[in-house]
Amino acid sequence: MKSLTTILLLVLSNAFMTLAWYGHLKFGEWKGIAKWGLFGLIVISWGIAFFEYCFQVPANRIGFSGTGGPFSLVQLKVLQEVITLVVFVVFSVIFFKNETFSSNHLIGFIFLVLAVYFIFKG
């Protein structure tokens, strides 16, 4: 159960992280927000990133073997990176319809999945 809880919290954390890191590229298109300038976008992104940490910190505490969880530190990190990529791809497809993914992106993603396999195998 801790494994699933950790993964779900990391997915939620990464959804907020991706929105904070890349959402501002779209926020500028919204009326009113565009006039806030760069500082306003930084403040909005920082506010969104707060919620990332509200999910990320518990995910790592629940998931880390040193605090009673099922994953080593390295396993947690690699798992988080793959979740980040999956969330980013979904985010990009939904919000940045003009961005395209090519075969080299797919190959890189496959290598990351293989990294997870090898990290968890040992």
Side-chain angles (χ1 to χ4, degrees), residues 4 11 15 19 25 44 63-64 70 73 79 81 84 102 105 108 113:
L4 183 59
V11 168
L19 184 60
L25 299 172
I44 291 169
F64 178 51
L73 187 63
L79 186 61
E81 292 300 331
T84 296
S102 63
H105 296 122
V113 171

Side-chain angles (χ1 to χ4, degrees), residues 3-31:
S3 297
L4 183 59
T5 301
T6 299
I7 291 168
L8 290 174
L9 287 170
L10 286 174
V11 168
L12 289 170
S13 168
N14 277 279
F16 282 102
M17 179 192 74
T18 302
L19 184 60
W21 283 23
Y22 302 103
H24 64 86
L25 299 172
K26 286 291 189 179
F27 297 159
E29 297 175 4
W30 298 355
K31 287 185 179 180

Side-chain angles (χ1 to χ4, degrees), residues 23-79:
H24 64 86
L25 299 172
K26 286 291 189 179
F27 297 159
E29 297 175 4
W30 298 355
K31 287 185 179 180
I33 292 180
K35 65 182 175 185
W36 289 17
L38 181 60
F39 182 75
L41 293 173
I42 290 169
V43 170
I44 291 169
S45 293
W46 182 83
I48 294 168
F50 168 78
F51 294 101
E52 170 202 351
Y53 281 87
C54 289
F55 293 108
Q56 181 269 336
V57 171
N60 285 339
R61 302 250 345 136
I62 292 167
F64 178 51
S65 59
T67 54
F71 304 117
S72 72
L73 187 63
V74 173
Q75 289 172 328
L76 263 176
K77 181 59 181 170
V78 172
L79 186 61

